Amino acid sequence: MTEQRQERFRFSEAPIWEWQRKYFEEQGLKAWNNDQVPQYITSNPMIAEAYAEMIFGFLRDRAAQGETKECVTIVELGAGAGRLAFHVLQKCCELRDYAGIPLPPFRYVMTDLPMKNVESWERHPALQTYIDQGLLDFARFDAVADHELNLTVSGTTLRPGDLQQPLLIVANYFFDSIPQELLYVGDGRIYECDVIVDFPDTPEKLSPAQLLENLSMDYSHRRAPEYEHADFPYKDVIALYQEELEDSHILFPAVGLECLERLSRLSRAGFLLLTADKGDHRLENWKFAEPPELVLHGSFSLTANYHAIQHVFEQRRAESLFTSQYYKNLNVGCILMLEKPMNYVNTRLAYRRSIERFGPDEFFSLKEWVDRHVESMGVQPLLAFWRLGGYDAEFFIQSAKRFSSLLPEASDEEMTDIRRGIHKMWSSFYVMEQRYDLALDAGLLLFEMEQYEDSKLFLEASLEADEEAPVPTVLYCLAICCYELDQIESALAYTREALIQEPEHEEALDLLHALTGEV
């Protein structure tokens, strides 16, 4: 039996946070492979389009105020796999080009703690166009300590006071994953919760993920009058908790608030925060709250205290936007820490249109239903949901077989929409290390639709990307595509290659005979 040792820590200083850092530093972008760490809910094209609408609204508001010369800097905290940044940039450029109106220039800065993530983004094929256009830059950023951003592409450093335009901050699945204080409110007093951790005597032999999986924690309370002192920077929200809460455990985002304040100093004009997380902004949701449980996914996450963040900045005359309906999976908020925030009409309208009316949380709830019913859906509902989700590759991979089964009943118009959707999907596909071959699935479906030119394009892309020996069936399909396109030499080459892989492939033998007369 493995021996255990027990130690006591302040919650924000418990070893779980160091294990969290090490996990992401060791894994790099591999942390998001096949959704080991969840990314779809906060990185899909639908939420990216909602954010792009708000960013575009913000640019319009700045233009309306006569601020069109200075660049607007958009900083994404914890950009992770990079998929959200890619989709947001793509949608922002589409909106800018479609509108054709005077706007301030903008640049997007992706940040994260591990430097290996920054280096991976710099090499990612989908991001090169935006790097070349000067629209995208990168920086390593430690949310706990850093006061400036060292941009790796331009080689410049953003320091306090450098920005003339307000800073626009994007923070998805960020506040729930950085150190937080754990407080307890009882009898009108504030207590700090220490965590008692049981872990093996030789933790160095375990990976960060293994340490978290085998973690055992208990909590104890001790009086913490320092939170009630007049010089505590967030004393107003603490006083509210003392007055309104009883027998409640509060995750208090001191580090998150300090991080926002450090970033806000980069600009002379305030900031706009766009954020999505498992987070509660309603005070009643913190009443009688039990001690938190870690949600494990290689790393771990908690519930973000949006109420504290909202309250602190509203006390400083910010305007905050959260939905009137209760969220189920994802709470999306916007905080305008700006001079005269109500003047940002286009930004607020974009939130109302893209989040409040029907937003990422509703979309994800609908997707959960669709996931269970794909096999009973018809062509039109499949197309409608695919279109709603921004022609997302994940949904296509899930529904390709269903589309295939429905082709005999599909109209010419529906076939055209499927083909158009595949091309839209491909143009906005952000490659991650996943276990599926999108080009192959697209190529085979187009082959069934007798769209041979398009099918050839995707099947050849699949062969080029796949390091393993080609599948005879794919080679045969390519041979047929070439034959139908009157590319006889290529058809013959693919046929012979298929027969090398599978000498008894009947269809390939028949095609070889038709092409050459050979038996």
Side-chain angles (χ1 to χ4, degrees), residues 72-90:
V72 171
T73 298
I74 306 160
V75 172
E76 183 183 350
L77 304 176
R83 188 181 179 204
L84 177 69
F86 168 72
H87 287 308
V88 169
L89 268 171
Q90 187 179 54

Side-chain angles (χ1 to χ4, degrees), residues 409-475:
E409 307 168 12
S411 66
D412 290 344
E413 291 81 3
E414 289 170 337
M415 293 276 204
T416 299
D417 281 347
I418 293 171
R419 175 180 173 274
R420 184 182 294 116
I422 289 173
H423 282 282
K424 284 180 175 290
M425 171 188 69
W426 189 251
S427 70
S428 62
F429 178 52
Y430 184 82
V431 177
M432 296 172 60
E433 293 187 32
Q434 305 285 12
R435 296 195 189 103
Y436 56 71
D437 186 340
L438 180 66
L440 177 61
D441 279 6
L444 291 176
L445 185 62
L446 288 162
F447 182 83
E448 291 184 69
M449 295 165 59
E450 300 182 358
Q451 298 290 327
Y452 297 115
E453 185 173 358
D454 291 333
S455 177
K456 179 174 179 288
L457 174 71
F458 285 98
L459 292 178
E460 287 180 336
S462 174
L463 288 184
E464 185 178 343
D466 194 344
E467 298 177 357
E468 298 181 2
V471 177
T473 301
V474 175
L475 294 169

Side-chain angles (χ1 to χ4, degrees), residues 23 27 29-40 81 83 297 394 397 431-437:
Y23 173 81
Q27 295 292 315
L29 296 193
K30 292 180 181 178
W32 290 272
N33 284 7
N34 299 295
D35 273 348
Q36 180 176 335
V37 175
Q39 55 80 28
Y40 176 83
R83 188 181 179 204
H297 30 63
E394 181 170 316
I397 291 292
V431 177
M432 296 172 60
E433 293 187 32
Q434 305 285 12
R435 296 195 189 103
Y436 56 71
D437 186 340

Side-chain angles (χ1 to χ4, degrees), residues 12-28:
S12 62
E13 298 171 358
I16 57 174
W17 303 108
E18 183 61 28
W19 298 341
Q20 178 99 308
R21 289 171 69 98
K22 286 183 178 179
Y23 173 81
F24 284 110
E25 287 174 338
E26 290 175 5
Q27 295 292 315

Side-chain angles (χ1 to χ4, degrees), residues 21 39 58 138 231 242 252 255 291 311 354 361 364 402 444 483 492 510 512:
R21 289 171 69 98
Q39 55 80 28
F58 179 79
F138 313 99
D231 60 351
Q242 287 179 273
F252 192 78
V255 169
H311 188 276
S354 301
D361 185 50
F364 191 76
R402 180 59 180 167
L444 291 176
Y483 175 78
L492 185 58
D510 291 342
L512 180 65

Side-chain angles (χ1 to χ4, degrees), residues 495 508-519:
T495 303
L509 288 169
D510 291 342
L511 182 59
L512 180 65
H513 177 70
L515 291 170
T516 66
E518 296 178 20
V519 179

Side-chain angles (χ1 to χ4, degrees), residues 246-265:
E246 180 63 34
D247 190 21
S248 302
H249 294 81
I250 302 296
L251 285 162
F252 192 78
V255 169
L257 286 164
E258 291 163 6
C259 175
L260 290 174
E261 291 179 349
R262 280 184 270 116
L263 286 170
S264 73
R265 297 187 192 111

